[in-house]
Amino acid sequence: MTAATIRTVYLNGAFLPENEAHLSIFDRGFLFGDGIYEVTAVLDGKLIDSALHMTRLERSVEEIGGRLPITTDEIVAIEKRLVEENHLAEGLVYLQYTRGAEDRNFFYSEDLQPTLVIFTQQKTLEHVAAVEKGLKVKSMPDQRWARRDIKSVCLLPQVLAKRAARAEGFDEAWLIENGMVTEGASSTAYIVTRDGRIVTRANSHATLPGCTRLAVLELAREEGLALEERAFSVDEAKAAAEVWLTSASNFIVSITNVDGAAIGDGKPGPMFRRLRALYMENARRTAI
Ligand code: PDD
């Protein structure tokens, strides 16, 4: 790696070149997956849906009985500084909190100093082929734990699901439980019924409460579109007018193929185009 590509990263109070940022082998994030993460999009050098990500971060940390070492205002200031120092116009900010480092023991010391890592990653988010072409999803059993509302770093089931999907030429895995789609391996799932109703699961312990979901549903409500928060099956998706996913790294993208079956005419539909345009406009207007 050349000097020009060495990023500045944040580690426990210090801004460091990425090759000088080192963590303990005793970190509980490494040993137990005892940690929480957030991924925030950056467009035009600004953070997208930042307040939503900070609210979810605080909640996830609280749900595991942790505590952030600094305030979310301080975190946002660090994220902005990293975006600026790394000249990041478009991409992602990754944040990881862990319970901290000490000798391996399932029981942890209450006074442990948490670990906080933040780094930026360049990525084209807006003008990607998927917007015009759509994505293909493959359904498979949801093998995750029962508290998916917590944005835990234990992502092995998602890593394996995505690998299995990709091996068969699909872009994303859809995770199925009791015959219903919970969500994508790293995205929220939606269908639009033939009578124009947007359907996505209600938030619960079964899925991650998506920040992009929150923003998209708010825009849909403002537009007066019909919404139903309920689970749906793969068969219902195959018969739907449109299928979508949302995530911080994709914003909103159309799914044009589910398990090999084309959705509608196999092209991204009009409701998707409308909400993508609305989302992008809103994301820029509210970016910080
Ligand atoms: N993943 N569901 C799951 C399981 C996810 O991992 C994600 C995001 C989402 C969408 O949430 P949001 O709109 O807040 O990004 C839903 C991130 C992008 C990731 O792991 O990279």
Side-chain angles (χ1 to χ4, degrees):
M1 190 171 270
T2 63
T5 60
I6 292 177
R7 283 165 288 195
T8 299
V9 302
Y10 174 88
L11 171 61
N12 294 337
F15 289 86
L16 299 166
E18 64 183 59
N19 51 354
E20 288 173 29
H22 300 296
L23 273 173
S24 166
I25 63 163
F26 301 111
D27 195 278
R28 294 181 63 90
F30 175 63
L31 295 180
F32 294 103
D34 189 354
I36 297 297
Y37 77 108
E38 276 295 333
V39 177
T40 304
V42 172
L43 281 178
D44 310 327
K46 289 184 169 177
L47 302 169
I48 304 300
D49 295 333
S50 173
L52 303 181
H53 288 282
M54 288 304 115
T55 301
R56 186 172 64 189
L57 171 66
E58 280 187 306
R59 179 183 179 276
S60 291
V61 171
E62 199 180 305
E63 288 294 317
I64 67 163
R67 61 182 168 86
L68 287 170
I70 53 176
T71 66
T72 53
D73 282 351
E74 287 167 325
I75 289 174
V76 171
I78 292 162
E79 292 188 342
K80 286 182 174 178
R81 177 168 160 187
L82 291 178
V83 166
E84 198 181 316
E85 283 197 20
N86 294 320
H87 308 289
L88 184 73
E90 188 168 343
L92 304 167
V93 176
Y94 178 86
L95 173 152
Q96 184 165 329
Y97 159 92
T98 81
R99 193 133 10 218
E102 64 181 338
D103 271 8
R104 186 177 184 278
N105 187 339
F106 281 92
F107 299 104
Y108 54 85
S109 306
E110 289 297 338
D111 59 355
L112 206 55
Q113 183 58 35
T115 300
L116 188 62
V117 173
I118 309 177
F119 61 80
T120 58
Q121 205 158 290
Q122 199 283 324
K123 191 167 193 251
T124 302
L125 303 178
E126 190 174 18
H127 300 293
V128 290
V131 175
E132 296 308 322
K133 269 180 37 196
L135 297 177
K136 296 181 192 174
V137 298
K138 162 97 180 142
S139 64
M140 58 190 76
D142 197 334
Q143 295 179 322
R144 299 174 298 163
W145 70 327
R147 286 302 305 275
R148 302 160 195 150
D149 56 311
I150 297 171
K151 202 164 170 58
S152 142
V153 294
C154 304
L155 294 172
L156 188 55
Q158 287 95 315
V159 168
L160 297 182
K162 277 180 180 283
R163 184 186 63 170
R166 178 165 284 185
E168 292 186 43
F170 293 88
D171 304 296
E172 170 67 313
W174 256 11
L175 307 176
I176 312 297
E177 188 172 63
N178 302 325
M180 298 297 200
V181 179
T182 51
E183 58 188 331
S186 64
S187 55
T188 307
Y190 307 74
I191 59 170
V192 181
T193 60
R194 294 202 173 261
D195 59 352
R197 303 174 75 79
I198 300 168
V199 181
T200 190
R201 271 195 184 246
N203 286 336
S204 71
H205 288 177
T207 60
L208 182 77
C211 295
T212 321
R213 175 190 182 281
L214 199 63
V216 164
L217 292 191
E218 181 62 29
L219 292 167
R221 272 187 204 102
E222 282 170 17
E223 287 292 290
L225 300 173
L227 293 181
E228 272 178 45
E229 293 188 62
R230 63 164 174 87
F232 57 84
S233 66
V234 168
D235 281 346
E236 197 179 359
K238 284 181 180 169
E242 297 187 22
V243 181
W244 310 333
L245 65 73
T246 64
S247 77
S249 47
N250 287 282
F251 306 130
I252 176 168
V253 172
S254 197
I255 292 170
T256 47
N257 183 302
V258 176
D259 286 345
I263 305 304
D265 64 0
K267 296 196 186 90
M271 285 266 267
F272 155 71
R273 290 191 187 286
R274 185 167 161 199
L275 272 172
R276 171 105 186 168
L278 283 169
Y279 179 81
M280 297 313 300
E281 190 273 325
N282 182 69
R284 285 210 152 81
R285 190 165 38 79
T286 58
I288 59 168

